[in-house]
Amino acid sequence: MSARRSLLSIAAAFAAVATATAARATDALNSSEKSGTGTKVIYGDEAAEKTEFNLLPVGGGTTDIGVGGGFFANYAVVKAGYDPYIWEIESAGLVTLKYTDNQVIFPYQDVYVKLTIPRLFGLPLRFEVRPEYSWETTLGYYGLGNASSATAPQGAPNKYFQYGRLHPELVADLRWRILDHVGGRAGLTYTENWNQIASNSKLANDLQNGSPEVKS
């Protein structure tokens, strides 16, 4: 009897390992998406955690924001039986520069970093958090409605129609499995805005002297 119980215990343990591996190898929220590992039990070096890193430089620009460069990158911890990874950090950024009025300016900056954990605490919980910021220093403002004009008044500076905006943002997202193919989702987004408005700009003038409709 004891030998039979031992065999049953071994079989149950094997089934539990296979089931857990299969669960990790599929989409935590959707069993229709399968991994190639299936219910394969992983041993030895195949079971060890590994890291993957990718980096892609990019470049480009326009007449409005100048020329610049940036990157796409990701770093992931992967392990056989955990599809697609245990956790991953991805990031991208772009910074441009432009020569104008005998000086170099940086019209556009944008950078973000995102952490993704497909199975938070080993449960079917997909967690993502993404801090980022964008900084645009040459946004245009020419007024509102039919009264707007692209003609600057006499003696106005070259940046009369420009203002800047810096807006950092934090996005968090949590998705969980209720039933197969049925999930819940909750998240939050926080954005801060800081406007850089020169005192001798069109926008500053409208804020100070504009009609109630413009000020609103």
Side-chain angles (χ1 to χ4, degrees):
M1 290 292 293
S2 59
R4 183 178 179 181
R5 280 196 292 268
S6 297
L7 288 174
L8 290 174
S9 298
I10 292 172
F14 180 82
V17 170
T19 301
T21 302
R24 292 191 296 264
T26 61
D27 188 310
L29 307 179
N30 183 359
S31 65
S32 296
E33 296 188 16
K34 304 291 185 180
S35 169
T37 57
T39 58
K40 176 184 176 183
V41 180
I42 309 300
Y43 299 100
D45 293 340
E46 290 185 67
E49 293 184 3
K50 300 178 182 178
T51 60
E52 294 181 351
F53 176 71
N54 298 285
L55 176 63
L56 175 66
V58 296
T62 70
T63 55
D64 291 329
I65 63 173
V67 297
F71 68 93
F72 292 96
N74 82 304
Y75 179 87
V77 175
V78 299
K79 186 176 182 180
Y82 290 76
D83 187 45
Y85 41 71
I86 298 177
W87 58 266
E88 179 199 50
I89 293 178
E90 71 173 63
S91 180
L94 177 68
V95 178
T96 68
L97 57 89
K98 184 178 181 179
Y99 184 77
T100 181
D101 297 333
N102 297 318
Q103 62 178 334
V104 176
I105 61 173
F106 297 89
Y108 184 79
Q109 302 174 47
D110 186 88
V111 180
Y112 83 86
V113 178
K114 183 174 76 170
L115 169 66
T116 302
I117 305 175
R119 296 166 186 82
L120 187 64
F121 307 126
L123 301 173
L125 295 170
R126 183 180 180 90
F127 176 71
E128 296 180 356
V129 60
R130 171 176 166 152
E132 65 176 298
Y133 90 95
S134 296
W135 192 358
E136 301 144 296
T137 62
T138 58
L139 295 174
Y141 173 79
Y142 299 90
L144 299 176
N146 295 331
S148 60
S149 172
T151 303
Q154 188 79 22
N158 291 336
K159 296 181 179 180
Y160 179 71
F161 292 113
Q162 294 181 356
Y163 71 99
R165 177 174 176 245
L166 173 63
H167 47 109
E169 183 177 73
L170 178 65
V171 180
D173 185 80
L174 182 67
R175 284 175 281 176
W176 63 92
R177 176 172 173 170
I178 299 174
L179 299 170
D180 195 19
H181 305 287
V182 178
R185 184 172 186 175
L188 62 88
T189 300
Y190 177 79
T191 303
E192 187 68 57
N193 287 283
W194 292 298
N195 292 322
Q196 292 98 39
I197 305 171
S199 59
N200 56 355
S201 67
K202 169 65 173 174
L203 181 54
N205 182 65
D206 278 6
L207 289 173
Q208 183 69 31
N209 305 309
S211 67
E213 289 80 8
V214 170
K215 290 182 178 181
S216 63

